[in-house]
Amino acid sequence: MQTDTDTLHFLDDDQPSGAAKELVWRLMVVDDEPDVHRATTFALTGVKILGRPLEFLHAYSALEAENLLKTERDVAVVLLDVVMEREDAGLALIKTIRQDLKLTELRIILRTGQPGYAPEIETIHDFDINDYKTKSELTRTKLYATVTAALRAFEQIRKLDELAFYDRLCNLPNRNRFLDLSDERLASGRHPDDVMAILDVDDFSEINDALGHQQGDRLLQAVADRLKVEINSDVVLARIGSDTFGLMGSSRVVDPVALLALFRTPFVVQDDSMVVTATMGLTKLLGRDVLARDAIKDANIALKQAKKTRRGSFVMFSSEMGSEIRERVRLLQNLRQAVESERLFVVYQPQVNLHTGAVVGMEALIRWRNEDGSFVPPDRFIPLAEASGMVVAIGDWVLRTACHELVRLQAMGLADLRMSVNVSQIQFRHPEFLEKLNAALLDTRINPKCLELEITESVAMDDPQFMLESLHMVRELGISIAIDDFGTGYSSLSHLRQLPIDRLKIDRAFVTELSRDVSGGHIASMVIELGRNLKLTVIAEGIEEEAQAQKLLAMGCHEGQGYLYGKPMSAIALREWLADRLASQ
């Protein structure tokens, strides 16, 4: 059954002279016979297909068609002869259109006057064509139907491409299209001074939370509109993320100082004047052998660095940054292997009462030994474990290992020893943390009063209400809580007073200051005084000299740990060390 859209619609001859230019479908006829051009034009002139008239382009050879397609835009359909200057000229042109010119949307209708030369089924299978007809069967109505089907396919592909490659909110290319366009520029080799940049709107999630997503969307549109107006049309501009824009072009135009200066003027968003800042990461390490996906990774590395150290400004990617990232990736891979091959182990450092010298507890510390016997420092691999999420499993293993060791120590008659275990922010905030903590207590059957969790000052101050509730639940299990590295953060004393904590731990940096002749120990003294006022036990770490211990004791510090008393040692060495202490008493 023939639908209304398949009927031929003839145009009126008397179009108003002042009417706006009408959208048209552009068809290219490629054939070496002029009569075919005339017949095709005659058959389709004056009709509308899918609401638009047709505009014709003519080429009389494959080479002429190739040159036209390099310059003409929005050609929707090519009516292509198979045999022209060569027997396979048409088929060769199809490969050129698809592979070299990369015109994947364009629909190709292959026409032949010699049907036996290119078998229909094999040709359709081997070549990306929309239809294959013999010239004799293409009557006016069948030609119209064939072109209509091709135009429908072209329009559908365009719409799919729009969804896949364009951001509707800002009317810009999206990340996929940005990478494609950037690859084209890189491959051309004509832009040696190009840079790629990522521009990130600062604090956009907070804007969304405070003003709503609609206002956030309008702000992004305002930012996009300003960038479009101010940036040269030769620059590739795209929205590549929620609040990030990608740019690639000449370093003279993609100038971070000039681009960030665009944010000094407030954005007018529905009568609101909004002042926002942006941060940029850029890379100029480009060339023909560089792929866009690699360049955007480099720009993103620079952006992350800028977010950390130069918020509201920019950072240019360097080869050193790339080496650092590669080293982090290598270290992360090795960490996974170390976990699987059990090269991570726990050591224990004694903690003593400064007044009596008696051992009151020990701190469980994780160590990583490489296959060659060398060690990876904890300050290198623990942040990596936190960033990758591996710290949750590692922390759970350390907790259980420490609890089992505490059982063995209590079997030696040391029933009152305390075991301190560090807990990271990621681990503490994990939804199953309390469940795993309780399971460790039940499985090992230790006295909860002998277990202490150490959290850093920064963790204690993060999300005060959550921490307050969580720490109370930990205390309800009977476990004590210590604040590690105290004095290195920015605590709210009013909040600190509310936390159910038992012990403040003076950071080793402030203990080291005690050895200085001038102005040494002020912060340590302040922490000890604060602990006294809050009725908390204070323990100092990193004690290496007797003079430090005596100063801390004179200040009122209760406990200490450090090389003066004992280095971190294996479980077996700890038991031997404790046995010797007991024997000497």
Side-chain angles (χ1 to χ4, degrees), residues 18 30 251 343 353 375 401 434 494:
V30 184
S251 58
R343 291 201 301 274
N353 184 302
F375 288 88
T401 301
L434 288 172
S494 61

Side-chain angles (χ1 to χ4, degrees), residues 99-133:
Q99 297 176 9
D100 299 337
L101 302 181
K102 299 187 185 304
L103 298 174
T104 56
E105 299 172 346
L106 184 150
R107 298 295 85 198
I108 299 173
I109 301 171
L110 202 61
R111 299 194 295 183
T112 180
Q114 305 176 34
Y117 174 74
E120 184 174 347
I121 293 177
E122 289 82 349
T123 304
I124 291 174
H125 178 270
D126 296 339
F127 293 86
D128 182 11
I129 62 174
N130 187 249
D131 208 343
Y132 183 17
K133 301 289 184 182

